[in-house]
Amino acid sequence: MEIVLAIAIGGAFGFVLDRVGATNPGYIIRMLNLSDLHLMKTILSGIGTASILMFAGLLVGLVDPGHVSIKAAYLGVFIGGLLLGVGFAVAGYCPGTGLTAAATGRWDALWFILGGLLGAAAYMLSFAWVETTGILENIAGGKTTLGPIAGTDYPSLIGVPGEWIGLAAGLAFLAIAWLLPDRLTGASTPTVRAPVE
Amino acid sequence: MSYILPWRTGGLLLGAVFFAAVLSVSPIGVSTQFVIFDGILWDAVDPDVVVDSPDAKSGYSSPNAYLNKSGGSYAEDVANPLNYSFVFVLAMMAGAFLSSRLRGGLSPNERVMPAVWRANFGDSPVKRYAAALIAGFVVLYGSRLAGGCTSGHMMSGMMQTALSGYIFAAGAFLAGIPTALALFRKES
């Protein structure tokens, strides 16, 4: 059954990534150089929508709290984020969009994937050393959420019920998506969309 | 441009997919599967990389510290690639392939590099492929160091109000925006 769900949800995810423009590195680069915030608005409203549905689902008992899965916070999360950000801007690909872009027929994405496999292998080989540096030690409690989520053991930063904070955060993401302009740089010329293929 | 969904529709669908994942199984993540695929290749060359181990929590262990961590859970996925997360990523690629076929595919120029790269760095495929290769290395090293990527940390993490998700997103945009502003001054 899980495999059927993997095929259905994974397939839908890939299809939607293509239809929002995320498999086109032009859209990602133009999001990051702030000349076309289409994808930024899409991602923020996607997070907001998912957050509201999930926390509403937790409140009414539709979502199993056992499915909530929080990753640990440690200094390496920030450093890793910085590294991803640099490569994300140069290539216009992240791991998921690189794989889906290759599936749409982009050859540069194949080179990105090859580099990615080498980078992941380099991490596998250097993991034991990275661990000795201490940057993998948990900070702020590790697998921490903003507020406590009922039915889970995750630590939280503040005492207000996590479901309500989650709904508020979801609305905030939608509001930011709504309020962001179409572009922040080069506003003297109209937004030039990447060519359509 | 016609095939690109308006952000409201696109965001709603993207959100629905991330919700469907957490409703039915677990939050979406992608970058771990680069490690699993590396492990499968490595194990094919050297069968001692993943071995049965009744003492380990997962039933598998590895001499590699990373594959062996958390009770050998990555080692288990390498030994059994037909698991949820690996099949999810393969299906994701199939979904994108189907979508691109339905909209008529890409032009030969666009297949090699995006227009915004061409406008800033010229037509050389070698230059673009070399940059993509190095960027891929940095992105996956960073994702594994962080324990997740744009899907697992940024989207799945922030939708669940995970502190780690906000920290990751802050790092990614703090580095990504200045890099893109410096590199891509011409629009297309």
Side-chain angles (χ1 to χ4, degrees):
Chain A
M1 186 56 196
E2 275 208 344
I3 296 299
V4 176
L5 287 167
I7 292 168
I9 302 170
F13 183 40
F15 198 97
V16 172
L17 277 178
D18 188 60
R19 293 300 162 124
V20 301
T23 63
N24 181 338
Y27 275 98
I28 289 178
I29 288 168
R30 294 160 54 73
M31 163 176 80
L32 293 174
N33 78 4
L34 309 177
S35 66
D36 180 1
L37 300 187
H38 160 80
L39 203 50
M40 179 78 86
K41 289 161 84 82
T42 305
I43 293 170
L44 290 169
S45 62
I47 295 171
T49 303
S51 211
I52 290 168
L53 290 173
M54 186 188 99
F55 284 106
L58 284 167
L59 278 174
V60 301
L62 178 69
V63 174
D64 178 355
H67 289 182
V68 173
S69 176
I70 305 297
K71 293 175 187 283
Y74 49 88
L75 187 58
V77 173
F78 185 69
I79 301 170
L82 291 173
L83 289 172
L84 175 129
V86 170
F88 196 32
V90 170
Y93 294 125
C94 64
T97 62
L99 290 167
T100 47
T104 69
R106 290 185 181 273
W107 297 330
D108 56 347
L110 290 174
W111 289 92
F112 176 86
I113 293 169
L114 179 62
L117 289 169
L118 294 171
Y123 190 71
M124 284 165 72
L125 297 175
S126 61
F127 172 73
W129 169 77
V130 173
E131 222 175 4
T132 64
T133 65
I135 62 172
L136 304 183
E137 302 290 331
N138 284 346
I139 55 171
K143 299 180 175 181
T144 303
T145 56
L146 294 184
I149 300 172
T152 72
D153 298 330
Y154 296 116
S156 56
L157 291 179
I158 43 179
V160 184
E163 293 81 0
W164 294 103
I165 296 184
L167 287 175
L171 287 172
F173 276 111
L174 290 185
I176 298 168
W178 191 276
L179 293 171
L180 272 182
D182 289 336
R183 61 186 303 157
L184 286 166
T185 55
S188 56
T189 50
T191 296
V192 185
R193 282 276 156 84
V196 172
E197 312 306 334
Chain B
M1 194 191 304
S2 57
Y3 79 89
I4 296 287
L5 295 168
W7 68 265
R8 291 178 191 80
T9 322
L12 203 64
L13 289 173
L14 202 56
V17 170
F18 275 81
F19 172 67
V22 80
L23 174 68
S24 55
V25 187
S26 62
I28 290 175
V30 173
S31 66
T32 304
Q33 304 317 311
F34 279 77
V35 171
I36 304 306
F37 191 71
D38 275 338
I40 292 168
L41 294 179
W42 193 4
D43 193 45
V45 178
D46 176 5
D48 292 337
V49 166
V50 170
V51 291
D52 290 340
S53 169
D55 296 338
K57 196 172 136 199
S58 68
Y60 296 89
S61 67
S62 171
N64 178 266
Y66 193 56
L67 290 178
N68 201 40
K69 87 183 178 89
S70 310
S73 69
Y74 290 165
E76 181 187 12
D77 287 349
V78 170
N80 304 296
L82 203 66
N83 63 72
Y84 175 82
S85 299
F86 198 70
V87 172
F88 183 96
V89 166
L90 297 179
M92 174 186 84
M93 295 175 73
F97 172 77
L98 182 67
S99 169
S100 79
R101 288 299 101 194
L102 291 176
R103 63 181 168 84
L106 302 173
S107 73
N109 272 346
E110 191 67 16
R111 278 169 176 268
V112 177
M113 65 185 89
V116 66
W117 179 279
R118 210 178 284 276
N120 286 276
F121 297 105
D123 291 328
S124 162
V126 175
K127 201 167 162 185
R128 171 62 182 166
Y129 295 162
L133 179 85
I134 295 165
F137 185 98
V138 175
V139 165
L140 263 300
Y141 193 91
S143 297
R144 287 296 83 214
L145 171 59
C149 62
T150 328
S151 304
H153 262 314
M154 201 183 286
M155 299 237 11
S156 299
M158 290 205 292
M159 76 176 257
Q160 300 178 96
T161 69
L163 179 63
S164 53
Y166 303 110
I167 294 173
F168 180 83
F173 285 108
L174 272 174
I177 291 174
T179 306
L181 284 171
L183 288 179
F184 299 99
R185 292 169 184 275
K186 292 184 202 151
E187 296 205 350
S188 54

